[in-house]
Amino acid sequence: MTTLDYAHIYETQYRPGARLRRYAARVAWVGLFLIRPRLALDVLAERRSTLSW
């Protein structure tokens, strides 16, 4: 087996909920934008300022 085979096995067997968590996070962000858009923009601005790349 190559490294790519192991990566595929890891993604399909050991991390099956990763896609679900990403979907839930996107739903939460959309909800935050709908309910409190100013807070959502403040959070995004804060995240951009702390990223150092």
Side-chain angles (χ1 to χ4, degrees):
M1 278 189 143
T2 65
T3 304
L4 292 176
D5 295 333
Y6 284 117
H8 179 70
I9 290 170
Y10 177 75
E11 290 294 327
T12 57
Q13 292 183 2
Y14 297 105
R15 289 187 46 181
R19 188 176 304 151
L20 181 62
R21 282 192 303 270
R22 281 192 300 258
Y23 179 72
R26 287 184 183 131
V27 168
W29 272 109
V30 168
L32 184 61
F33 271 113
L34 291 175
I35 296 169
R36 301 281 307 265
R38 187 173 301 218
L39 175 63
L41 292 175
D42 289 344
V43 169
L44 285 177
E46 179 82 18
R47 285 189 69 204
R48 282 192 196 125
S49 68
T50 59
L51 290 177
S52 61
W53 48 314

